[in-house]
Every structure is written in C-alpha cells, then in structure tokens.
Amino acid sequence: MSDLAERRAAFRALHERGCFVLPNPWDRGSARYLEHLGFAALATTSSGAAWSRGRPDGSATRDEALDHLADIVAATTLPVNADFEDGYGATADQVAESVSLAVRTGVAGLSIEDATDGVTLDLEVAVERLRAAREAIDASGHDVLLVGRADGFVNGSPDLADVLTRMRAFAAAGADCLYAPGVDDPVAIRAIVEAAGPTPVNVLVGGRSERTLADLAALGVRRVSVGGALARAAWGGFQEAAAALAEGRFDGYGRVAAGADLNALFGDRPEAGQPG
C-alpha cells in the first residue's frame, strides 16, 4: 500500500464494518514496529511526539507537527491518521490552511479537536472550524478521512448530553468519524454510537483495561486508538531503568528488546513511503 491513494482507500474501507485497533506510534521506529506486528493502520500521538522532544503535549508549532506527520508517513506503508490537535489556526480560515498542508504530508485521516489550550470552544465555533476542514479536504481532491473530536471529558467538562449534541453537529458538518476521548462507561459509549448514527465512532483506551476489542465492537465502536499510552509504556520502562542507574544499580532494565532483533527488523527494507 505504498501509493497514498491506495492507503487512503484502504483506511476508509476499514471504517465500513467491524472494529479495528489504531495504535499510536511516536517516531519512525515505533511506527515500523507496529507495522511489523500486522496492524492495518496507524495514528500519530501529539503527546508521544512532544515527549520525545522533551516538550509537553500541545507545545508543537504547526511546522513541527507537519514535519512529524511527513516523517511517520514516510516510515510506513500503512495509512496514517493525524492527531492534528485543534487544527493549528485561530480562525476557521487558518484551520483550513493548516488542514490543506496536513493533507500534503500524505496522511489518510486527521482529527480536529473542539478545544484550544484545554478550553472547549462554543459549539458554533467548533462546527465552523470543522466545516472549514471538510471544505479544505474536499478542495484538495484527496480522500482524507475527517475526524470530529469532542474533548469535554478530557478537558474537565464531562457532560455527556453536550458531547452527544456535538457528535450530531460534527457529523452534519462533514465528519467521517467521531471521537470523544475520555469516555469509558459502556452506557455512554453506546449512547455516542447511537447519536452518531451511521458515522463510525472511535474510542480511546489510554490505559490498562479489562475491556477487549470484542467488547467494544459489541457496543458498536468501529475503531479503537490508544493515544499516548504506548509512549507512556516506553517511558515507564526507561524511567525504571534510569532510576536504578541513578542509585548505582543495574537491575532496572526489566524486559528489554534484543538489539539483534531490532537491527534485523529495521534492516529488512529501506524507508517505505513518501509524502505527496
């Protein structure tokens, strides 16, 4: 699926039936490894990418975000969904401009949050920005999937009724997929799926959970992402090992990958994709 049009078509097809896991790599190596495991598509994580640069989530400039998207697209042959935060624009026109640039990186999908700096936007403003993103994608001539995000549950305003209203409004504005990170209760997930109607729903599983992919599929969920969870898992192993070293011990490595295995994996082919 090295051709971008084929990747985008394959990504859209994944949303038509069933339920799939959309894992979130934070750099080229983690993207290559996830592809090696057989996942059908990947999604970027703004938090994981920021931490790899020694920065907090939300601190990336638009140019840095675009460079990161192009980097991940070039590292894999799989479709890549972009965590595009709030669209990198103070106005709807600026969001449209940013989305046009994101499409050029080769992504197969991108999400637009309904909050800026952790503050939920008025519904009318959020819809206007999402509609501008939709128009920018359509004008590009590329089949990039648009995800509308309602971030209230991760921004301190866990109002399910408001989230349901936003889900319906985002679908009407042209979102191809709907996403409300932070919603974990099965009843709430089912309500979101019902409010979304035929529009596919993404659910975030950002930590340890007894729930399975089959459980989420039974609720009507179409795709499951993990946000920064894989990056945090990697950081957890690093923190444990580094803390032991700081105490003069060498027993903190836990489960470590074999260098020979990583060399073999990353040496099996040249860089795969190219943005365009």
Side-chain angles (χ1 to χ4, degrees), residues 91-117:
T91 67
D93 286 344
Q94 291 171 345
V95 169
E97 178 185 47
S98 296
V99 167
S100 296
L101 295 172
V103 170
R104 294 178 195 172
T105 68
V107 295
L110 61 87
S111 61
I112 301 293
E113 300 172 7
D114 69 342
T116 296
D117 296 328

mmCIF file of all heavy atoms in Angstrom, residues 91-117:
data_model
loop_
_atom_site.group_PDB
_atom_site.id
_atom_site.type_symbol
_atom_site.label_atom_id
_atom_site.label_comp_id
_atom_site.label_asym_id
_atom_site.label_seq_id
_atom_site.Cartn_x
_atom_site.Cartn_y
_atom_site.Cartn_z
ATOM 1 N N THR A 91 -8.616 30.932 13.512
ATOM 2 C CA THR A 91 -9.875 31.142 12.802
ATOM 3 C C THR A 91 -10.159 29.941 11.909
ATOM 4 O O THR A 91 -9.272 29.110 11.646
ATOM 5 C CB THR A 91 -9.809 32.395 11.917
ATOM 6 O OG1 THR A 91 -8.858 32.173 10.855
ATOM 7 C CG2 THR A 91 -9.388 33.617 12.730
ATOM 8 N N ALA A 92 -11.376 29.863 11.410
ATOM 9 C CA ALA A 92 -11.740 28.766 10.521
ATOM 10 C C ALA A 92 -10.889 28.784 9.251
ATOM 11 O O ALA A 92 -10.467 27.732 8.755
ATOM 12 C CB ALA A 92 -13.227 28.853 10.170
ATOM 13 N N ASP A 93 -10.602 29.970 8.730
ATOM 14 C CA ASP A 93 -9.777 30.068 7.520
ATOM 15 C C ASP A 93 -8.363 29.549 7.782
ATOM 16 O O ASP A 93 -7.762 28.885 6.927
ATOM 17 C CB ASP A 93 -9.707 31.519 7.032
ATOM 18 C CG ASP A 93 -11.004 31.986 6.388
ATOM 19 O OD1 ASP A 93 -11.838 31.120 6.046
ATOM 20 O OD2 ASP A 93 -11.187 33.206 6.241
ATOM 21 N N GLN A 94 -7.838 29.846 8.954
ATOM 22 C CA GLN A 94 -6.499 29.367 9.292
ATOM 23 C C GLN A 94 -6.488 27.852 9.489
ATOM 24 O O GLN A 94 -5.520 27.173 9.122
ATOM 25 C CB GLN A 94 -5.991 30.085 10.533
ATOM 26 C CG GLN A 94 -5.684 31.554 10.293
ATOM 27 C CD GLN A 94 -5.395 32.312 11.581
ATOM 28 O OE1 GLN A 94 -5.685 31.845 12.688
ATOM 29 N NE2 GLN A 94 -4.830 33.509 11.452
ATOM 30 N N VAL A 95 -7.556 27.314 10.053
ATOM 31 C CA VAL A 95 -7.678 25.868 10.179
ATOM 32 C C VAL A 95 -7.692 25.227 8.793
ATOM 33 O O VAL A 95 -7.016 24.215 8.544
ATOM 34 C CB VAL A 95 -8.946 25.475 10.969
ATOM 35 C CG1 VAL A 95 -9.203 23.967 10.866
ATOM 36 C CG2 VAL A 95 -8.815 25.886 12.429
ATOM 37 N N ALA A 96 -8.443 25.815 7.874
ATOM 38 C CA ALA A 96 -8.500 25.288 6.513
ATOM 39 C C ALA A 96 -7.109 25.272 5.880
ATOM 40 O O ALA A 96 -6.724 24.306 5.211
ATOM 41 C CB ALA A 96 -9.462 26.112 5.665
ATOM 42 N N GLU A 97 -6.358 26.349 6.073
ATOM 43 C CA GLU A 97 -4.999 26.413 5.526
ATOM 44 C C GLU A 97 -4.126 25.309 6.113
ATOM 45 O O GLU A 97 -3.385 24.633 5.389
ATOM 46 C CB GLU A 97 -4.384 27.778 5.826
ATOM 47 C CG GLU A 97 -2.941 27.927 5.346
ATOM 48 C CD GLU A 97 -2.323 29.245 5.779
ATOM 49 O OE1 GLU A 97 -2.466 29.607 6.978
ATOM 50 O OE2 GLU A 97 -1.683 29.890 4.941
ATOM 51 N N SER A 98 -4.210 25.114 7.427
ATOM 52 C CA SER A 98 -3.403 24.092 8.087
ATOM 53 C C SER A 98 -3.788 22.696 7.625
ATOM 54 O O SER A 98 -2.930 21.833 7.409
ATOM 55 C CB SER A 98 -3.558 24.203 9.608
ATOM 56 O OG SER A 98 -3.056 25.439 10.080
ATOM 57 N N VAL A 99 -5.080 22.459 7.468
ATOM 58 C CA VAL A 99 -5.546 21.152 7.015
ATOM 59 C C VAL A 99 -5.047 20.876 5.597
ATOM 60 O O VAL A 99 -4.626 19.757 5.277
ATOM 61 C CB VAL A 99 -7.081 21.072 7.097
ATOM 62 C CG1 VAL A 99 -7.608 19.849 6.344
ATOM 63 C CG2 VAL A 99 -7.518 21.021 8.558
ATOM 64 N N SER A 100 -5.057 21.878 4.741
ATOM 65 C CA SER A 100 -4.542 21.709 3.378
ATOM 66 C C SER A 100 -3.078 21.270 3.416
ATOM 67 O O SER A 100 -2.657 20.395 2.648
ATOM 68 C CB SER A 100 -4.679 23.014 2.593
ATOM 69 O OG SER A 100 -6.035 23.364 2.424
ATOM 70 N N LEU A 101 -2.302 21.864 4.305
ATOM 71 C CA LEU A 101 -0.896 21.487 4.440
ATOM 72 C C LEU A 101 -0.757 20.078 5.005
ATOM 73 O O LEU A 101 0.132 19.315 4.588
ATOM 74 C CB LEU A 101 -0.176 22.494 5.342
ATOM 75 C CG LEU A 101 -0.072 23.922 4.795
ATOM 76 C CD1 LEU A 101 0.491 24.862 5.860
ATOM 77 C CD2 LEU A 101 0.803 23.955 3.549
ATOM 78 N N ALA A 102 -1.621 19.707 5.927
ATOM 79 C CA ALA A 102 -1.571 18.359 6.500
ATOM 80 C C ALA A 102 -1.864 17.305 5.443
ATOM 81 O O ALA A 102 -1.223 16.243 5.408
ATOM 82 C CB ALA A 102 -2.552 18.243 7.660
ATOM 83 N N VAL A 103 -2.835 17.575 4.577
ATOM 84 C CA VAL A 103 -3.163 16.628 3.513
ATOM 85 C C VAL A 103 -1.939 16.361 2.644
ATOM 86 O O VAL A 103 -1.678 15.231 2.226
ATOM 87 C CB VAL A 103 -4.334 17.160 2.671
ATOM 88 C CG1 VAL A 103 -4.531 16.321 1.411
ATOM 89 C CG2 VAL A 103 -5.623 17.173 3.500
ATOM 90 N N ARG A 104 -1.134 17.384 2.402
ATOM 91 C CA ARG A 104 0.048 17.241 1.546
ATOM 92 C C ARG A 104 1.121 16.345 2.154
ATOM 93 O O ARG A 104 2.004 15.877 1.444
ATOM 94 C CB ARG A 104 0.634 18.622 1.250
ATOM 95 C CG ARG A 104 -0.268 19.519 0.420
ATOM 96 C CD ARG A 104 0.355 20.882 0.223
ATOM 97 N NE ARG A 104 -0.621 21.844 -0.243
ATOM 98 C CZ ARG A 104 -0.385 23.151 -0.352
ATOM 99 N NH1 ARG A 104 0.807 23.635 -0.028
ATOM 100 N NH2 ARG A 104 -1.344 23.963 -0.784
ATOM 101 N N THR A 105 1.066 16.111 3.463
ATOM 102 C CA THR A 105 2.052 15.221 4.081
ATOM 103 C C THR A 105 1.793 13.757 3.738
ATOM 104 O O THR A 105 2.655 12.910 3.976
ATOM 105 C CB THR A 105 2.057 15.363 5.614
ATOM 106 O OG1 THR A 105 0.823 14.865 6.158
ATOM 107 C CG2 THR A 105 2.274 16.802 6.033
ATOM 108 N N GLY A 106 0.597 13.457 3.221
ATOM 109 C CA GLY A 106 0.273 12.087 2.849
ATOM 110 C C GLY A 106 -0.605 11.348 3.833
ATOM 111 O O GLY A 106 -0.843 10.151 3.659
ATOM 112 N N VAL A 107 -1.132 12.027 4.855
ATOM 113 C CA VAL A 107 -1.969 11.341 5.834
ATOM 114 C C VAL A 107 -3.258 10.850 5.184
ATOM 115 O O VAL A 107 -3.729 11.402 4.192
ATOM 116 C CB VAL A 107 -2.292 12.245 7.041
ATOM 117 C CG1 VAL A 107 -1.027 12.574 7.818
ATOM 118 C CG2 VAL A 107 -3.020 13.508 6.613
ATOM 119 N N ALA A 108 -3.815 9.789 5.774
ATOM 120 C CA ALA A 108 -5.073 9.217 5.287
ATOM 121 C C ALA A 108 -6.275 9.723 6.072
ATOM 122 O O ALA A 108 -7.421 9.528 5.662
ATOM 123 C CB ALA A 108 -5.017 7.695 5.365
ATOM 124 N N GLY A 109 -6.026 10.353 7.204
ATOM 125 C CA GLY A 109 -7.088 10.898 8.035
ATOM 126 C C GLY A 109 -6.511 11.926 8.980
ATOM 127 O O GLY A 109 -5.294 11.951 9.221
ATOM 128 N N LEU A 110 -7.357 12.765 9.534
ATOM 129 C CA LEU A 110 -6.898 13.731 10.535
ATOM 130 C C LEU A 110 -8.058 14.128 11.425
ATOM 131 O O LEU A 110 -9.213 14.145 11.008
ATOM 132 C CB LEU A 110 -6.261 14.957 9.889
ATOM 133 C CG LEU A 110 -7.074 15.837 8.951
ATOM 134 C CD1 LEU A 110 -7.852 16.916 9.711
ATOM 135 C CD2 LEU A 110 -6.169 16.499 7.924
ATOM 136 N N SER A 111 -7.731 14.422 12.670
ATOM 137 C CA SER A 111 -8.756 14.800 13.641
ATOM 138 C C SER A 111 -8.618 16.273 14.006
ATOM 139 O O SER A 111 -7.509 16.814 14.040
ATOM 140 C CB SER A 111 -8.658 13.945 14.905
ATOM 141 O OG SER A 111 -7.397 14.116 15.539
ATOM 142 N N ILE A 112 -9.754 16.906 14.274
ATOM 143 C CA ILE A 112 -9.799 18.294 14.710
ATOM 144 C C ILE A 112 -10.525 18.342 16.053
ATOM 145 O O ILE A 112 -11.676 17.925 16.165
ATOM 146 C CB ILE A 112 -10.539 19.187 13.697
ATOM 147 C CG1 ILE A 112 -9.866 19.145 12.333
ATOM 148 C CG2 ILE A 112 -10.618 20.623 14.223
ATOM 149 C CD1 ILE A 112 -8.493 19.765 12.274
ATOM 150 N N GLU A 113 -9.844 18.857 17.070
ATOM 151 C CA GLU A 113 -10.436 18.954 18.401
ATOM 152 C C GLU A 113 -11.389 20.153 18.485
ATOM 153 O O GLU A 113 -11.246 21.117 17.738
ATOM 154 C CB GLU A 113 -9.329 19.093 19.447
ATOM 155 C CG GLU A 113 -8.361 17.921 19.465
ATOM 156 C CD GLU A 113 -7.157 18.160 20.364
ATOM 157 O OE1 GLU A 113 -7.146 19.192 21.078
ATOM 158 O OE2 GLU A 113 -6.241 17.327 20.336
ATOM 159 N N ASP A 114 -12.314 20.084 19.422
ATOM 160 C CA ASP A 114 -13.247 21.204 19.622
ATOM 161 C C ASP A 114 -12.825 22.044 20.816
ATOM 162 O O ASP A 114 -13.653 22.668 21.489
ATOM 163 C CB ASP A 114 -14.678 20.692 19.800
ATOM 164 C CG ASP A 114 -14.877 19.938 21.104
ATOM 165 O OD1 ASP A 114 -13.872 19.506 21.722
ATOM 166 O OD2 ASP A 114 -16.040 19.759 21.523
ATOM 167 N N ALA A 115 -11.519 22.068 21.082
ATOM 168 C CA ALA A 115 -10.982 22.844 22.196
ATOM 169 C C ALA A 115 -9.638 23.431 21.788
ATOM 170 O O ALA A 115 -8.937 22.884 20.935
ATOM 171 C CB ALA A 115 -10.821 21.969 23.438
ATOM 172 N N THR A 116 -9.280 24.546 22.407
ATOM 173 C CA THR A 116 -7.982 25.174 22.213
ATOM 174 C C THR A 116 -7.375 25.443 23.573
ATOM 175 O O THR A 116 -8.025 26.032 24.446
ATOM 176 C CB THR A 116 -8.121 26.489 21.420
ATOM 177 O OG1 THR A 116 -8.600 26.196 20.100
ATOM 178 C CG2 THR A 116 -6.781 27.196 21.311
ATOM 179 N N ASP A 117 -6.148 24.967 23.783
ATOM 180 C CA ASP A 117 -5.458 25.120 25.069
ATOM 181 C C ASP A 117 -6.303 24.583 26.221
ATOM 182 O O ASP A 117 -6.330 25.156 27.319
ATOM 183 C CB ASP A 117 -5.107 26.588 25.322
ATOM 184 C CG ASP A 117 -4.121 27.134 24.299
ATOM 185 O OD1 ASP A 117 -3.274 26.351 23.826
ATOM 186 O OD2 ASP A 117 -4.206 28.334 23.971
#
